[in-house]
PDB file of all heavy atoms in Angstrom:
ATOM      1  N   HIS M  51       0.505 -11.970   4.820  1.00 96.00           N
ATOM      2  CA  HIS M  51      -0.433 -12.952   5.370  1.00 96.00           C
ATOM      3  C   HIS M  51      -1.650 -12.287   6.004  1.00 96.00           C
ATOM      4  O   HIS M  51      -2.720 -12.884   6.066  1.00 96.00           O
ATOM      5  CB  HIS M  51       0.265 -13.834   6.404  1.00 96.00           C
ATOM      6  CG  HIS M  51       1.335 -14.691   5.801  1.00 96.00           C
ATOM      7  ND1 HIS M  51       1.242 -16.052   5.734  1.00 96.00           N
ATOM      8  CD2 HIS M  51       2.513 -14.372   5.212  1.00 96.00           C
ATOM      9  CE1 HIS M  51       2.321 -16.544   5.145  1.00 96.00           C
ATOM     10  NE2 HIS M  51       3.107 -15.535   4.820  1.00 96.00           N
ATOM     11  N   ALA M  52      -1.472 -11.055   6.494  1.00 97.00           N
ATOM     12  CA  ALA M  52      -2.586 -10.337   7.119  1.00 97.00           C
ATOM     13  C   ALA M  52      -2.300  -8.847   7.111  1.00 97.00           C
ATOM     14  O   ALA M  52      -1.141  -8.422   7.171  1.00 97.00           O
ATOM     15  CB  ALA M  52      -2.808 -10.822   8.548  1.00 97.00           C
ATOM     16  N   LEU M  53      -3.373  -8.074   7.030  1.00 97.00           N
ATOM     17  CA  LEU M  53      -3.315  -6.619   7.168  1.00 97.00           C
ATOM     18  C   LEU M  53      -4.308  -6.246   8.257  1.00 97.00           C
ATOM     19  O   LEU M  53      -5.497  -6.551   8.148  1.00 97.00           O
ATOM     20  CB  LEU M  53      -3.731  -5.923   5.872  1.00 97.00           C
ATOM     21  CG  LEU M  53      -2.764  -5.952   4.711  1.00 97.00           C
ATOM     22  CD1 LEU M  53      -3.438  -5.385   3.461  1.00 97.00           C
ATOM     23  CD2 LEU M  53      -1.523  -5.154   5.040  1.00 97.00           C
ATOM     24  N   THR M  54      -3.822  -5.622   9.310  1.00 96.00           N
ATOM     25  CA  THR M  54      -4.711  -5.165  10.376  1.00 96.00           C
ATOM     26  C   THR M  54      -4.474  -3.684  10.611  1.00 96.00           C
ATOM     27  O   THR M  54      -3.391  -3.164  10.332  1.00 96.00           O
ATOM     28  CB  THR M  54      -4.489  -5.957  11.683  1.00 96.00           C
ATOM     29  OG1 THR M  54      -3.114  -5.855  12.054  1.00 96.00           O
ATOM     30  CG2 THR M  54      -4.858  -7.419  11.509  1.00 96.00           C
ATOM     31  N   VAL M  55      -5.474  -3.030  11.131  1.00 97.00           N
ATOM     32  CA  VAL M  55      -5.388  -1.595  11.338  1.00 97.00           C
ATOM     33  C   VAL M  55      -5.758  -1.271  12.781  1.00 97.00           C
ATOM     34  O   VAL M  55      -6.622  -1.917  13.366  1.00 97.00           O
ATOM     35  CB  VAL M  55      -6.264  -0.837  10.317  1.00 97.00           C
ATOM     36  CG1 VAL M  55      -7.723  -1.145  10.509  1.00 97.00           C
ATOM     37  CG2 VAL M  55      -6.027   0.646  10.344  1.00 97.00           C
ATOM     38  N   ALA M  56      -5.073  -0.283  13.339  1.00 95.00           N
ATOM     39  CA  ALA M  56      -5.314   0.142  14.725  1.00 95.00           C
ATOM     40  C   ALA M  56      -5.289   1.668  14.791  1.00 95.00           C
ATOM     41  O   ALA M  56      -4.875   2.335  13.847  1.00 95.00           O
ATOM     42  CB  ALA M  56      -4.254  -0.450  15.645  1.00 95.00           C
ATOM     43  N   ASN M  57      -5.696   2.189  15.928  1.00 92.00           N
ATOM     44  CA  ASN M  57      -5.731   3.632  16.189  1.00 92.00           C
ATOM     45  C   ASN M  57      -6.689   4.349  15.249  1.00 92.00           C
ATOM     46  O   ASN M  57      -6.427   5.475  14.840  1.00 92.00           O
ATOM     47  CB  ASN M  57      -4.340   4.265  16.083  1.00 92.00           C
ATOM     48  CG  ASN M  57      -3.413   3.832  17.173  1.00 92.00           C
ATOM     49  OD1 ASN M  57      -3.758   3.018  18.019  1.00 92.00           O
ATOM     50  ND2 ASN M  57      -2.204   4.352  17.158  1.00 92.00           N
ATOM     51  N   VAL M  58      -7.787   3.728  14.914  1.00 96.00           N
ATOM     52  CA  VAL M  58      -8.771   4.346  14.026  1.00 96.00           C
ATOM     53  C   VAL M  58      -9.774   5.109  14.885  1.00 96.00           C
ATOM     54  O   VAL M  58     -10.462   4.507  15.710  1.00 96.00           O
ATOM     55  CB  VAL M  58      -9.496   3.275  13.176  1.00 96.00           C
ATOM     56  CG1 VAL M  58     -10.505   3.932  12.255  1.00 96.00           C
ATOM     57  CG2 VAL M  58      -8.497   2.451  12.389  1.00 96.00           C
ATOM     58  N   PRO M  59      -9.863   6.426  14.694  1.00 96.00           N
ATOM     59  CA  PRO M  59     -10.824   7.186  15.494  1.00 96.00           C
ATOM     60  C   PRO M  59     -12.264   6.922  15.051  1.00 96.00           C
ATOM     61  O   PRO M  59     -12.568   6.927  13.862  1.00 96.00           O
ATOM     62  CB  PRO M  59     -10.426   8.643  15.239  1.00 96.00           C
ATOM     63  CG  PRO M  59      -9.732   8.622  13.927  1.00 96.00           C
ATOM     64  CD  PRO M  59      -9.089   7.273  13.802  1.00 96.00           C
ATOM     65  N   VAL M  60     -13.134   6.674  16.027  1.00 95.00           N
ATOM     66  CA  VAL M  60     -14.548   6.430  15.758  1.00 95.00           C
ATOM     67  C   VAL M  60     -15.282   7.762  15.853  1.00 95.00           C
ATOM     68  O   VAL M  60     -15.090   8.524  16.810  1.00 95.00           O
ATOM     69  CB  VAL M  60     -15.140   5.421  16.774  1.00 95.00           C
ATOM     70  CG1 VAL M  60     -16.630   5.217  16.523  1.00 95.00           C
ATOM     71  CG2 VAL M  60     -14.396   4.106  16.707  1.00 95.00           C
ATOM     72  N   LYS M  61     -16.125   8.029  14.858  1.00 85.00           N
ATOM     73  CA  LYS M  61     -16.908   9.264  14.848  1.00 85.00           C
ATOM     74  C   LYS M  61     -17.874   9.238  16.028  1.00 85.00           C
ATOM     75  O   LYS M  61     -18.550   8.250  16.267  1.00 85.00           O
ATOM     76  CB  LYS M  61     -17.695   9.380  13.551  1.00 85.00           C
ATOM     77  CG  LYS M  61     -18.467  10.688  13.421  1.00 85.00           C
ATOM     78  CD  LYS M  61     -19.282  10.724  12.153  1.00 85.00           C
ATOM     79  CE  LYS M  61     -18.375  11.134  11.015  1.00 85.00           C
ATOM     80  NZ  LYS M  61     -19.118  11.338   9.758  1.00 85.00           N
ATOM     81  N   SER M  62     -17.879  10.335  16.776  1.00 67.00           N
ATOM     82  CA  SER M  62     -18.773  10.429  17.923  1.00 67.00           C
ATOM     83  C   SER M  62     -19.177  11.884  18.121  1.00 67.00           C
ATOM     84  O   SER M  62     -18.541  12.800  17.599  1.00 67.00           O
ATOM     85  CB  SER M  62     -18.072   9.927  19.194  1.00 67.00           C
ATOM     86  OG  SER M  62     -17.006  10.796  19.530  1.00 67.00           O
ATOM     87  N   LEU M  63     -20.234  12.087  18.881  1.00 50.00           N
ATOM     88  CA  LEU M  63     -20.686  13.441  19.185  1.00 50.00           C
ATOM     89  C   LEU M  63     -19.584  14.198  19.939  1.00 50.00           C
ATOM     90  O   LEU M  63     -19.335  15.365  19.664  1.00 50.00           O
ATOM     91  CB  LEU M  63     -21.975  13.399  20.002  1.00 50.00           C
ATOM     92  CG  LEU M  63     -22.560  14.763  20.382  1.00 50.00           C
ATOM     93  CD1 LEU M  63     -22.839  15.579  19.131  1.00 50.00           C
ATOM     94  CD2 LEU M  63     -23.818  14.587  21.211  1.00 50.00           C
ATOM     95  N   LYS M  64     -18.916  13.522  20.848  1.00 47.00           N
ATOM     96  CA  LYS M  64     -17.841  14.159  21.620  1.00 47.00           C
ATOM     97  C   LYS M  64     -16.735  14.659  20.686  1.00 47.00           C
ATOM     98  O   LYS M  64     -16.226  15.760  20.838  1.00 47.00           O
ATOM     99  CB  LYS M  64     -17.271  13.163  22.629  1.00 47.00           C
ATOM    100  CG  LYS M  64     -16.179  13.728  23.495  1.00 47.00           C
ATOM    101  CD  LYS M  64     -15.685  12.686  24.495  1.00 47.00           C
ATOM    102  CE  LYS M  64     -14.537  13.227  25.313  1.00 47.00           C
ATOM    103  NZ  LYS M  64     -14.010  12.240  26.255  1.00 47.00           N
ATOM    104  N   ARG M  65     -16.365  13.853  19.686  1.00 42.00           N
ATOM    105  CA  ARG M  65     -15.326  14.242  18.727  1.00 42.00           C
ATOM    106  C   ARG M  65     -15.799  15.441  17.900  1.00 42.00           C
ATOM    107  O   ARG M  65     -15.045  16.357  17.628  1.00 42.00           O
ATOM    108  CB  ARG M  65     -14.969  13.067  17.824  1.00 42.00           C
ATOM    109  CG  ARG M  65     -13.809  13.340  16.894  1.00 42.00           C
ATOM    110  CD  ARG M  65     -13.437  12.111  16.075  1.00 42.00           C
ATOM    111  NE  ARG M  65     -12.976  11.009  16.881  1.00 42.00           N
ATOM    112  CZ  ARG M  65     -11.760  10.899  17.396  1.00 42.00           C
ATOM    113  NH1 ARG M  65     -10.873  11.823  17.189  1.00 42.00           N
ATOM    114  NH2 ARG M  65     -11.425   9.843  18.114  1.00 42.00           N
ATOM    115  N   GLN M  66     -17.086  15.457  17.496  1.00 42.00           N
ATOM    116  CA  GLN M  66     -17.620  16.562  16.710  1.00 42.00           C
ATOM    117  C   GLN M  66     -17.634  17.852  17.514  1.00 42.00           C
ATOM    118  O   GLN M  66     -17.261  18.909  17.021  1.00 42.00           O
ATOM    119  CB  GLN M  66     -19.016  16.215  16.194  1.00 42.00           C
ATOM    120  CG  GLN M  66     -18.984  15.120  15.139  1.00 42.00           C
ATOM    121  CD  GLN M  66     -20.360  14.595  14.779  1.00 42.00           C
ATOM    122  OE1 GLN M  66     -21.269  14.598  15.601  1.00 42.00           O
ATOM    123  NE2 GLN M  66     -20.503  14.145  13.551  1.00 42.00           N
TER     124      GLN M  66
END
Side-chain angles (χ1 to χ4, degrees):
H51 294 247
L53 287 172
T54 56
V55 65
N57 292 2
V58 180
V60 178
K61 184 183 278 186
S62 66
L63 180 58
K64 181 179 177 182
R65 186 177 297 281
Q66 291 170 330

